[in-house]
Amino acid sequence: MTPRPPAAYRGEFPIFERCTYLNSCSLGALSRRSRARVNEYLDLWDARGASAWYDTWWAALEELRTRYGRVIGAPAGTIALHPNVSSALGVVASALDYRVRPRVIVTSLDFPTIGYQWMAKARAGVEVVVLESPDGIGVPLEAFERAVDGRTALIATSHVYFTSGAIQDVAALSAIAHRAGALCLVDGYQAAGQLPVDVEALDVDFYLGGGLKWLLGGTGVAFLHARSELLASLQPTVTGWFAHREQFRFDSRALELHDDARRLEAGTPPLMPVYAQLGGLDVLEEVGIPAIRMATAALTEDLIDGARARGLVPKVAARAEARSAIVMLPAEDPHADVRRLAEAGFIADARPGHVRVSPYFYNVPDDHRAFLECLTHGR
Ligand SMILES: Cc1ncc(COP(=O)(O)O)c(C=O)c1O
């Protein structure tokens, strides 16, 4: 069977019957398959109650770990599930030793929850160094190079900046961290799904992401990948019974952690989001992430060209290869623009000083034309 082009999957997303959706970097559109999988979960809950845990639901958790692993090229046994990235980061932050290396390097363009994990450890002597961006788009590699030294525990930054859509050179960042004996943690929330990711080629120590956006899984489910060779040395002080190697022994006297990445899990994962995510991954895997990247790269350039033709100056990376499908359009009153657009059936987002537009494989160039017409004519 010849593969269907990515845009042919638009019919899988009923939201397009009601509006033009251009906000996947906030929340991916709901697919029919996610809805069907959530209904399947509800039917199981209704029909079997807790007896569904030990065969079906347990297997669904393992299936999701495996399939998240496939999305980012991670080997088996290196994925932990969490309800959100913040809680996964909390476990990582609790597992590192800051006595000799108290510093963590982040940037002002990263999602703030990254830095917060380590700022919250200030009383324990942890110092967060925030690298500033000269242009609001990226942070030069030299700034990381200068900041990292023998007192650095970790570089913790984004694969794709939510603030500009720029793609960072993660392999270069890992090399900078490792040369100084530090670790490299990457928030891939804005990358996984829309870009092919290979954590082994990137040589990162930790890679995180979640369902909400480009993975089409909705709220309540996230993942943490940790490099296999590091696992044995990670002794989290934030933990829970899912990290125990024999959790159904219910041993209140001893904590014995899993050997694999489940040692970085905590409590019961939310099953409804797990099912929604499995449905979203069905679509993603069928379309294929390389095909998604090709489609979204073309859409991104089309949107930028269309915006420029209307006199707008999109804030995006200088080189097309470093752009992802997040396009920031400067705006005096982005909230007013976004409200007006929503009334006309266009869903985008407001960020300080910008209307943020994020097309995905289910969008088509006509979406951009109609959106830009509405944005520029209503001002
Ligand atoms: C880059 C990035 N990281 C993390 C998050 C979310 O973190 P959490 O899962 O803790 O809510 C978002 C957006 O919601 C994001 O854009």
Side-chain angles (χ1 to χ4, degrees), residues 70-373:
R70 230 182 277 144
V71 168
I72 60 165
T78 64
I79 298 285
L81 297 180
H82 275 271
N84 54 57
V85 160
S86 303
S87 81
L89 284 170
V91 174
V92 175
S94 85
L96 303 180
D97 182 346
Y98 304 101
R99 282 171 299 183
V100 177
R101 293 174 173 268
R103 277 199 193 136
V104 175
I105 314 292
V106 302
T107 82
S108 58
L109 298 180
D110 293 317
F111 200 74
T113 208
I114 303 183
Y116 293 167
Q117 302 308 317
W118 285 281
M119 290 174 193
K121 291 193 161 10
R123 266 183 304 166
V126 176
E127 287 167 46
V128 177
V129 178
V130 183
L131 303 181
E132 295 296 334
S133 165
D135 55 6
I137 295 172
V139 175
L141 285 174
E142 301 77 60
F144 286 94
E145 199 94 64
R146 279 194 300 275
V148 174
D149 60 18
R151 285 165 51 75
T152 307
L154 189 72
I155 292 179
T157 187
S158 319
H159 193 166
V160 167
Y161 287 124
F162 85 109
T163 24
S164 66
I167 304 170
Q168 289 215 82
D169 185 347
V170 170
L173 290 174
S174 304
I176 291 171
H178 294 158
R179 271 200 298 278
L183 299 173
C184 184
L185 174 145
V186 174
D187 174 2
Y189 218 135
Q190 293 292 359
Q194 70 147 327
L195 302 180
V197 177
D198 179 342
V199 286
E200 297 211 293
L202 296 175
D203 201 24
V204 290
D205 300 293
F206 302 100
Y207 194 96
L208 302 98
L212 210 56
K213 305 164 190 298
W214 310 101
L215 291 174
L216 306 177
T219 56
V221 63
F223 66 84
L224 160 63
H225 156 75
R227 182 199 286 282
S228 324
E229 304 84 69
L230 266 185
L231 285 170
S233 67
L234 297 172
Q235 299 290 335
T237 59
V238 171
T239 188
W241 70 304
F242 270 66
H244 196 288
R245 63 166 69 233
E246 283 183 68
Q247 73 186 103
F248 294 108
R249 219 170 68 208
F250 297 103
D251 182 354
S252 308
R253 292 179 189 80
L255 169 61
E256 292 165 29
L257 297 175
H258 277 293
D259 290 332
D260 67 29
R262 286 174 296 168
R263 71 196 280 114
L264 304 174
E265 294 190 353
T268 311
L271 279 169
M272 213 143 52
V274 165
Y275 271 74
Q277 177 63 97
L278 290 171
L281 288 176
D282 287 348
V283 183
L284 281 191
E285 288 166 2
E286 205 173 295
V287 185
I289 293 177
I292 289 176
R293 171 61 177 159
M294 270 177 69
T296 54
L299 284 164
T300 303
E301 296 314 304
D302 176 75
L303 178 57
I304 292 170
D305 292 346
R308 285 182 177 149
R310 286 168 187 274
L312 302 173
V313 185
K315 188 182 83 174
V316 290
R319 290 178 308 113
E321 313 82 73
R323 295 175 190 150
S324 71
I326 299 176
V327 177
M328 307 296 283
L329 300 176
E332 265 172 40
D333 187 347
H335 287 284
D337 280 336
V338 164
R339 265 195 310 275
R340 187 171 47 75
L341 285 159
E343 280 159 18
F346 298 96
I347 310 298
D349 219 339
R351 285 293 174 272
H354 296 86
V355 171
R356 188 174 69 170
V357 195
S358 46
Y360 208 16
F361 63 88
Y362 36 54
N363 288 108
V364 292
D366 276 349
D367 293 342
H368 298 159
R369 272 178 268 297
F371 167 85
L372 288 167
E373 176 73 16

Side-chain angles (χ1 to χ4, degrees), residues 6-66:
Y9 285 80
R10 191 170 168 106
E12 291 275 352
F13 299 87
I15 196 167
F16 286 100
E17 292 160 18
R18 293 178 291 280
C19 66
T20 301
Y21 195 70
L22 283 162
N23 197 5
S24 294
C25 78
S26 275
L27 175 64
L30 172 65
S31 65
R32 294 182 197 281
R33 295 192 213 186
S34 284
R35 184 183 283 277
R37 293 303 305 261
V38 169
N39 283 339
E40 181 189 326
Y41 164 71
L42 293 174
D43 289 344
L44 280 164
W45 182 6
D46 198 21
R48 298 186 53 198
S51 67
W53 256 122
Y54 299 107
D55 45 38
T56 315
W57 290 340
W58 210 251
L61 298 180
E62 195 45 31
E63 179 188 340
L64 185 55
R65 291 187 195 98
T66 304

